[in-house]
Amino acid sequence: MEIVIEKAREKDIPDIFEIMKTANMHHVPSPEMPDLDWRCFFVAKVDGRIVGAAGYRITSGKEAKTTLLAVLPDFRKYGIGRALQTRRMLALCEKGIEMLITNADIPETIDWYKRHFGYKEIGKLKKVHEFGRPDIDEWTTLQTSLSEWRQKYDQPGNK
Ligand SMILES: CC(C)(COP(=O)(O)OP(=O)(O)OC[C@H]1O[C@@H](n2cnc3c(N)ncnc32)[C@H](O)[C@@H]1OP(=O)(O)O)[C@@H](O)C(=O)NCCC(=O)NCCS
């Protein structure tokens, strides 16, 4: 399967919403997710179809937060999520961002972030309303150092 990761365009917004719907992450605008800025999104395409999307928000000169990330259910487990997450981390490195925060709810996803992207747990946060997995009412806040991750990523065999 050939996966292409591209910067999102404004016309991709409806497709991004359809993908987020499959993960119950389409409640935008809402207190949990005030807006969706397509300029800070990447999309994953397979045969020209958008099958995944990932966003970020820069919160200060050196820090950013990931926003939404999801892949259509039929396309999960093919490395698309990893390619999207890697692309947004590289984009933030290029902007000089050093620390990246991610709120995640599903235990498998939290483990995945820790295993592949150097995240560590730094806290818990109650969800303001339903968003993501309806049976989980809190976010686990994760943090990773982009410079440390980048050093490992640049080593031969890690790309
Ligand atoms: C998280 C997500 C984007 C991963 O996408 P993907 O294309 O399947 O990811 P990859 O193929 O690159 O990697 C598969 C990995 O996902 C892990 N994973 C992450 N979240 C998972 C979940 N909710 N259920 C099952 N496996 C999950 C698997 O353990 C596997 O890990 P491995 O590579 O170490 O074996 C996808 O599961 C998804 O859309 N989940 C719902 C939305 C979500 O939770 N988004 C994150 C918000 S913080």
Side-chain angles (χ1 to χ4, degrees):
M1 183 185 294
E2 198 199 339
I3 303 157
V4 178
I5 310 291
E6 291 176 355
K7 279 188 173 177
R9 288 172 291 180
E10 191 169 9
K11 70 179 179 61
D12 299 335
I13 292 174
D15 287 330
I16 295 174
F17 268 96
E18 284 309 307
I19 290 159
M20 295 309 153
K21 238 181 221 174
T22 70
N24 195 30
M25 288 168 34
H26 56 296
H27 310 290
V28 186
S30 73
E32 284 288 350
M33 188 57 57
D35 54 34
L36 188 157
D37 182 358
W38 59 270
R39 294 171 198 84
C40 299
F41 261 80
F42 292 99
V43 292
K45 289 185 178 172
V46 172
D47 293 333
R49 177 181 174 197
I50 296 180
V51 299
Y56 62 85
R57 179 178 299 127
I58 293 176
T59 48
S60 78
K62 296 283 172 202
E63 281 194 12
K65 267 193 78 192
T66 61
T67 53
L68 306 173
L69 164 67
V71 171
L72 289 178
D74 287 350
F75 289 85
R76 289 182 193 166
K77 306 259 164 109
Y78 291 104
I80 296 172
R82 189 169 177 166
L84 281 165
Q85 172 68 11
T86 301
R87 181 63 179 270
R88 70 180 169 184
M89 289 176 86
L90 287 172
L92 290 168
C93 287
E94 272 147 35
K95 291 177 190 294
I97 304 299
E98 284 168 7
M99 293 307 276
L100 181 60
I101 302 272
T102 293
N103 282 324
D105 55 353
I106 304 172
E108 289 88 343
T109 315
I110 294 165
D111 286 347
W112 178 73
Y113 278 120
K114 289 179 184 169
R115 255 197 328 275
H116 295 293
F117 307 105
Y119 282 96
K120 294 191 173 41
E121 263 182 61
I122 58 162
K124 300 272 189 193
L125 192 64
K126 280 267 172 242
K127 290 183 185 175
V128 182
H129 52 77
E130 186 185 298
F131 201 96
R133 267 266 296 263
D135 58 322
I136 302 177
D137 68 356
E138 64 180 11
W139 299 111
T140 296
T141 303
L142 303 164
Q143 186 182 52
T144 186
S145 155
L146 286 169
S147 46
E148 285 173 24
W149 168 79
R150 183 68 199 256
Q151 271 186 356
K152 288 192 188 132
Y153 176 80
D154 283 339
Q155 280 164 17
N158 284 346
K159 293 206 165 82

